[in-house]
Amino acid sequence: QPDTHVRIVEVGPRDGLQNEKKAIPVATKIELIERLAKTGVSVIEAGSFVSPKWVPQMDNSSQIMEHILTRNIPSPSPITYSFLAPNARGVADATTILQKHQGAYLTQTDAFNGGNGKPMVELAVFAAATESFSQKNLNCDIATSLERFRDVIQGAKQNGIRARAYVSVVLGCPFEGYDVNPHKVAEIATSLLEMGADEISLGDTTGMGTAPRTQELLRCMSAAGIRNEDIAMHFHDTYGQALVNTAVSLERGIRTFDSSVGGLGGCPYSPGATGNVSTENMVYFMESLGMNTGIDLDAMADIGQWITGELGKPNDSVVGKAVLGA
Ligand code: HMG
Ligand code: MG
């Protein structure tokens, strides 16, 4: 890919919806995914195989995965559908569905051989950079979570499935504030890559990240020998710093960014944190720099307006609203 190509991971159907209190009909979630698939995005995070007691909104992720594997969702280019899976139970539930529909999706080997328009599937684990966030989000300490993730990552890879690994609260923690050690983030990321993760997504869960802290974090990642192509940045926009931090990351050579249509999102275990940086803002910003995302901004803005309306909340994308004259 040319250096001007930026890969956007659309996390709206998962990060965007997981924190919504009212149950969202599965038909609405599927409509969201199908509309996003038409915009030119190459990765859609579609659900979570987590405990429904912890995150009730993600309870119908099995149905969503079944739909993706059986309905041949139209898209201009092949899409990778990503699902969170924090433990053996999550990967077992996902694998049961995948095995039932073998041949309906591309394994990593198929994709390397050129693919044929079928979707790819990815499973994602999520570690934390602080012990208190790990306890709140996963009910275990960091070391225990990493042991569990080893099985998830290996389980995914054995089935030819791509594995993503998040590290949360990398630039600020709701419980430990700015006291997050970037060397610790790099150490956790290194362990996850050694287990076989294909990509590390660095989560600024609280949106507390600033330009200098982003710079310092990425410097520590390089110093630990982690390659830019193995890193994605996942900015929440709580303090309005997401695009500034994106600019810093771009300048350092990062080319994968997570964002959410309509700026939806938030983590149920990060009190006060708001949505991800909106995909509309991200695409507009990338285009202004001459970078190519492959995403149709007008189509994305329409989806942001529609889904926020469905959820009965304001459209949080300033670019989305400007594009629509709303
Ligand atoms: P636990 O309570 O310690 O787990 O939770 P357990 O193993 O003791 O099981 C408790 C119950 O949950 C049992 O059911 C299990 O069967 C069930 P019971 O016997 O009581 O009826 N269970 C499951 N059910 C379905 N799927 C599963 C599963 N696992 C256990 N996979 C656990 C541990 C990890 C399960 C829990 O803490 C959990 O589900 N946490 C998920 C929290 C979450 O989803 N957070 C949001 C996503 S992360 C995020 O948003 C950040 C990110 O966006 C990046 C960023 O912004 O930084 C990614
Ligand atoms: Mg998030």
Side-chain angles (χ1 to χ4, degrees):
Q1 298 277 16
D3 194 46
T4 52
H5 179 81
V6 169
R7 190 165 149 264
I8 301 290
V9 176
E10 169 57 54
V11 298
R14 194 280 305 173
D15 205 341
L17 301 186
Q18 69 179 8
N19 209 20
E20 289 297 315
K21 296 290 165 280
K22 237 178 81 205
I24 301 162
V26 71
T28 307
K29 294 181 181 178
I30 286 172
E31 185 174 351
L32 174 60
I33 291 167
E34 294 194 337
R35 287 178 71 154
L36 288 167
K38 294 200 184 86
T39 63
V41 291
S42 55
V43 190
I44 299 177
E45 199 172 55
S48 277
F49 290 93
V50 296
S51 164
K53 288 183 189 144
W54 285 64
V55 186
Q57 190 62 258
M58 291 288 105
D59 198 15
N60 38 30
S61 294
S62 301
Q63 259 172 285
I64 290 170
M65 187 187 258
E66 286 268 359
H67 184 94
I68 288 166
L69 295 177
T70 52
R71 295 307 166 87
N72 216 343
I73 298 174
S75 63
S77 50
I79 294 193
T80 299
Y81 292 95
S82 191
F83 290 83
L84 302 191
N87 56 13
R89 165 75 192 272
V91 79
D93 288 357
T95 309
T96 304
I97 302 171
L98 289 166
Q99 281 171 351
K100 196 164 120 198
H101 300 291
Q102 226 155 30
Y105 62 93
L106 296 182
T107 64
Q108 282 193 302
T109 322
D110 298 332
F112 288 133
N113 292 339
N116 56 358
K118 288 180 189 172
M120 269 184 79
V121 175
E122 173 183 83
L123 293 180
V125 298
F126 43 103
T130 66
E131 290 294 350
S132 32
F133 194 77
S134 184
Q135 288 293 347
K136 286 279 200 284
N137 202 35
L138 291 160
N139 203 25
C140 64
D141 60 23
I142 296 173
T144 308
S145 76
L146 292 177
E147 279 319 306
R148 291 180 189 161
F149 296 158
R150 182 186 304 280
D151 296 338
V152 176
I153 292 170
Q154 286 171 0
K157 303 295 288 183
Q158 276 158 15
N159 286 291
I161 299 299
R162 199 179 135 87
R164 173 175 239 228
Y166 284 98
V167 185
S168 284
V169 299
V170 297
L171 292 167
C173 170
F175 314 106
E176 299 184 28
Y178 281 119
D179 200 11
V180 180
N181 181 352
H183 298 287
K184 174 83 183 170
V185 176
E187 198 184 293
I188 295 170
T190 302
S191 307
L192 291 162
L193 287 167
E194 281 169 4
M195 291 174 197
D198 291 286
E199 176 176 66
I200 302 294
S201 178
L202 297 175
D204 182 15
T205 322
T206 59
M208 288 162 73
T210 59
R213 290 170 57 79
T214 302
Q215 183 80 261
E216 173 64 5
L217 172 64
L218 289 174
R219 204 192 53 73
C220 289
M221 297 289 283
S222 316
I226 300 172
R227 304 178 310 167
N228 283 337
E229 51 267 47
D230 293 336
I231 299 175
M233 300 306 284
H234 177 106
F235 293 115
H236 284 259
D237 206 17
T238 315
Y239 290 80
Q241 301 303 299
L243 288 185
V244 178
N245 298 338
T246 299
V248 167
S249 309
L250 263 180
E251 206 156 74
R252 285 203 64 98
I254 306 294
R255 290 293 179 272
T256 302
F257 295 91
D258 301 357
S259 63
S260 169
V261 65
L264 299 173
C267 176
Y269 298 100
S270 180
T274 62
N276 295 84
V277 59
S278 79
T279 307
E280 299 90 313
N281 287 17
M282 188 62 100
V283 171
Y284 181 81
F285 179 59
M286 292 300 172
E287 284 178 3
S288 77
L289 297 172
M291 309 297 286
N292 172 34
T293 64
I295 295 175
D296 177 343
L297 177 58
D298 292 326
M300 195 55 84
D302 282 337
I303 300 171
Q305 191 68 11
W306 164 75
I307 188 66
T308 50
E310 287 289 312
L311 300 177
K313 57 198 302 182
N315 183 349
D316 273 341
S317 175
V318 287
V319 168
K321 285 187 289 191
V323 165
L324 296 166

